[in-house]
Amino acid sequence: MPRSSSLLKRPLASSSSSLSSRPANNGVARRSLSTTAAARLQNTNNVVDDDPERQWSTPLAKQLAEAISATGPVPLASFMRMCLTADIGGYYTGAVEEGRDQFGVKGDFVTSPEISQVFGELIGIWFVSEWMAQGRPSKGVELIEVGPGRGTLMDDMLRTIQKFPAMANSIDAVYMVEASPALREAQKARLCGEDAPMTESKVGYHSICKYMSVPIVWTDTIKSIPSSPEKTPLIIAHEFFDALPIHAFQLVNTPATSTLRPSPTDTSSPSTKTTTPTLQWRELLVSPTPPGSTHASLNTPLSQSRDTPPPDFQLTLAKAPTRHALYLPESSPRYRAIKSQVGAGALLEICPDATLYASDFASRIGGSAQHPKPRPSGAALILDYGPGDGTVPTNSLRGIRRHRRVSPFAEPGLTDLSADVDFEGIAEAATRASEGVEVHGPVEQAGFLLGMGIRERAEMLIQAAKKKGGENEKETEKFVNDVEKAWKRLVDRGPGGMGKVYKALAILPENEGRRRPVGFGGDVVG
């Protein structure tokens, strides 16, 4: 049966940015990164109030406040990392309340694999087509998923791949990159069976796939997966990059430094000193909100203030360049262009972790100086949301809880955090990391899925259900309606529709663009 729900994990508003003229989703402009008092981008060194009686919204909020009290305001990336993956109280690693999880109707969001089984089946078919196009290797194939959620996507992929025995027999192992013990258990139950044993090794945790007798291995990071030139890695990253921590910056006018000779107490970098006014990137840092703050005093949007406590934290503007502000905005020509073309007031989001993952994918597929590979092989498919026109994301941090948009700084550990994906940045990192790869896309999810045959596959399910019939005519009718509604939802190109908002990008072995993959304008070959 198809999985369907009325809500999904997607951007609920779009960016209203000086860097982009993208149309707003549903006509609602996304506020600045803060969505709280940080919208005023105050210059402040305030850290945390010393009121021991202050009540924080979650145990993780108190822990974060205590850490900030000791270190000062922290980068947004550090805040996101703690909120999502802290050992105690992290959203994906321990904050889920009893009786619910992050996914599905009872959770906070619904992803494409949960909406329809057809989505995962088509992803499986995409990798089968790549396996065929690359000579049908008889061994050495590795399936790798980063951020596998409950395992729904990989389950549909494996169920589909097993119908192609030659490819199924070529798979050496399935790797699941998952840091959450609870989600690892859920994935093991789905992919291996409730009672399947799980063993531990230096690499990670091991069990056996219920569809084919291949090992499934869970690792905390992708670096734990051995990289071998003989392997053909097939990597899927669905709604993974949007959850990686970002750094945020604002471009400001700074006055001339009165003297270039540092004082004994001057801790600023010599590179920030200038005898003339200049433009400098300043990092947006996270600090606690003032004691007694309310939604009104923090200017929390009404849509984000219902049934949630006032945000515990806000964004503040660093008074001096941080080490991240000195390096990250200079790491790409695209970022440097913003400084010269937009000027003061420009905002910028950068995700260093996205660069690391894209570089790892490319190195495994095409080889690198550190990991030479005589013959590139494999493929990576990335599906997520973000600008598809090369625009650098900005103002995109969002919080989602119980299928509603909330402040990303409210109830840390209970609120899902995500940001738009910089697809152009991923492509840039991949091709820089390996000369043996090329990048296709991004393309809209609607075009990708229609090119993969989602309409035809859905019709096959519908006709099979009608032919089977059964005693319960209403149940058959409901199934048919669910299938129809689900596939059309996945390719909806309307404002804010999944088919338009979500994009697909592929990293393949370099072939001078002679072969386009299926879903990106190419046909099945081999």
Side-chain angles (χ1 to χ4, degrees):
M1 295 286 287
R3 305 164 183 86
S4 69
S5 171
S6 60
L7 295 158
L8 65 150
K9 180 182 177 185
R10 60 177 176 84
L12 303 183
S14 75
S15 175
S16 174
S17 162
S18 60
L19 307 184
S20 170
S21 59
R22 298 201 308 271
N25 295 338
N26 300 324
V28 182
R30 186 181 296 129
R31 293 177 64 86
S32 181
L33 280 168
S34 60
T35 70
T36 65
R40 298 188 295 270
L41 296 177
Q42 309 161 13
N43 286 287
T44 178
N45 280 334
N46 293 341
V47 178
V48 61
D49 61 279
D50 295 323
D51 181 5
E53 301 302 319
R54 177 165 181 174
Q55 298 297 309
W56 302 96
S57 63
T58 65
L60 181 58
K62 181 179 180 181
Q63 182 182 349
L64 284 164
E66 291 171 348
I68 293 173
S69 179
T71 66
V74 299
L76 179 57
S78 299
F79 175 80
M80 289 183 68
R81 199 180 307 277
M82 284 290 291
C83 289
L84 296 176
T85 60
D87 290 338
I88 300 176
Y91 181 79
Y92 287 108
T93 51
V96 180
E97 299 130 315
E98 185 176 353
R100 66 179 286 268
D101 62 20
Q102 300 93 337
F103 308 93
V105 176
K106 295 182 179 180
D108 295 315
F109 53 83
V110 176
T111 60
S112 297
E114 306 286 342
I115 292 174
S116 173
Q117 69 182 57
V118 177
F119 182 85
E121 293 171 351
L122 294 181
I123 301 303
I125 292 294
W126 190 86
F127 282 110
V128 171
S129 72
E130 275 305 308
W131 171 80
M132 294 169 61
Q134 296 184 34
R136 303 174 181 247
S138 60
K139 61 181 180 179
V141 173
E142 297 174 330
L143 285 180
I144 301 173
E145 183 175 7
V146 291
R150 292 194 295 199
T152 304
L153 175 57
M154 182 58 74
D155 186 56
D156 289 335
M157 287 173 57
L158 291 172
R159 177 169 44 77
T160 301
I161 290 172
Q162 74 165 342
K163 298 176 182 178
F164 299 83
M167 180 179 176
N169 292 333
S170 74
I171 298 174
D172 287 355
V174 177
Y175 289 95
M176 308 285 276
V177 180
E178 180 57 70
S180 166
L183 288 176
R184 274 200 303 263
E185 283 296 326
Q187 294 156 17
K188 191 270 295 181
R190 184 181 295 271
L191 301 177
C192 308
E194 291 278 356
D195 300 325
M198 179 181 279
T199 59
E200 186 176 1
S201 72
K202 291 182 179 180
V203 175
Y205 299 87
H206 304 250
S207 193
I208 301 297
C209 175
K210 67 182 182 182
Y211 293 112
M212 52 195 88
S213 297
V214 298
I216 297 183
V217 183
W218 286 264
T219 66
D220 287 339
T221 69
I222 197 167
K223 293 297 184 185
S224 300
I225 303 175
S227 182
S228 170
E230 291 81 28
K231 300 296 185 180
T232 299
L234 302 177
I235 307 167
I236 177 67
H238 177 255
E239 290 205 45
F240 171 75
F241 281 85
D242 69 280
L244 296 178
I246 60 171
H247 289 268
F249 306 93
Q250 184 183 10
L251 194 60
V252 300
N253 277 312
T254 59
T257 307
S258 58
T259 176
L260 291 181
R261 181 175 298 172
S263 68
T265 59
D266 186 0
T267 59
S268 61
S269 168
S271 64
T272 68
K273 297 180 181 300
T274 175
T275 56
T276 58
T278 184
L279 287 171
Q280 289 184 356
W281 288 105
R282 294 291 171 85
E283 188 162 11
L284 295 169
L285 305 174
V286 178
S287 62
T289 52
S293 294
T294 64
H295 284 303
S297 68
L298 296 174
N299 293 327
T300 308
L302 181 63
S303 62
Q304 298 180 23
S305 61
R306 290 192 294 267
D307 302 321
T308 61
D312 297 289
F313 300 93
Q314 63 183 358
L315 285 179
T316 56
L317 192 63
K319 283 193 170 183
T322 62
R323 60 188 179 91
H324 298 111
L326 292 173
Y327 169 70
L328 290 177
E330 301 297 326
S331 63
S332 167
R334 299 167 63 235
Y335 308 151
R336 294 194 293 271
I338 292 172
K339 187 174 184 178
S340 61
Q341 295 173 6
V342 181
L347 296 172
L348 175 65
E349 293 173 359
I350 301 176
C351 181
D353 283 9
T355 297
L356 294 176
Y357 274 97
S359 299
D360 184 281
F361 294 176
S363 177
R364 290 176 187 274
I365 295 167
S368 63
Q370 187 178 2
H371 299 286
K373 190 169 185 177
R375 181 176 178 273
S377 64
L381 182 62
I382 298 167
L383 295 110
D384 227 308
Y385 49 78
D389 58 0
T391 304
V392 178
T394 183
N395 300 341
S396 72
L397 179 68
R398 61 183 66 82
I400 296 177
R401 177 155 162 75
R402 299 189 186 281
H403 304 275
R404 289 196 302 107
R405 177 81 179 268
V406 298
S407 167
F409 301 105
E411 299 184 292
L414 296 178
T415 299
D416 176 49
L417 302 180
S418 63
D420 283 358
V421 174
D422 183 1
F423 285 101
E424 185 72 17
I426 290 174
E428 186 180 84
T431 52
R432 187 171 58 239
S434 174
E435 295 182 354
V437 301
E438 63 183 32
V439 175
H440 294 262
V443 299
E444 291 183 353
Q445 177 172 285
F448 172 78
L449 292 177
L450 288 169
M452 289 298 303
I454 189 171
R455 187 195 311 271
E456 293 77 9
R457 174 56 181 158
E459 185 60 30
M460 287 175 61
L461 289 175
I462 290 171
Q463 292 304 320
K466 289 180 176 178
K467 185 176 181 180
K468 184 178 180 181
E471 298 179 359
N472 194 332
E473 186 175 330
K474 288 187 176 181
E475 185 174 314
T476 300
E477 183 179 349
K478 181 180 182 303
F479 175 80
V480 169
N481 289 336
D482 285 347
V483 171
E484 190 80 16
K485 185 187 302 182
W487 83 262
K488 289 182 178 179
R489 182 181 177 190
L490 293 174
V491 299
D492 178 15
R493 284 194 170 107
M498 296 185 73
K500 182 178 181 67
V501 172
Y502 284 86
K503 313 293 191 305
L505 180 143
I507 304 173
L508 300 180
E510 202 281 325
N511 67 87
E512 298 181 348
R514 291 189 300 269
R515 179 184 68 83
R516 289 186 178 183
V518 181
F520 295 83
D523 296 319
V524 177
V525 297

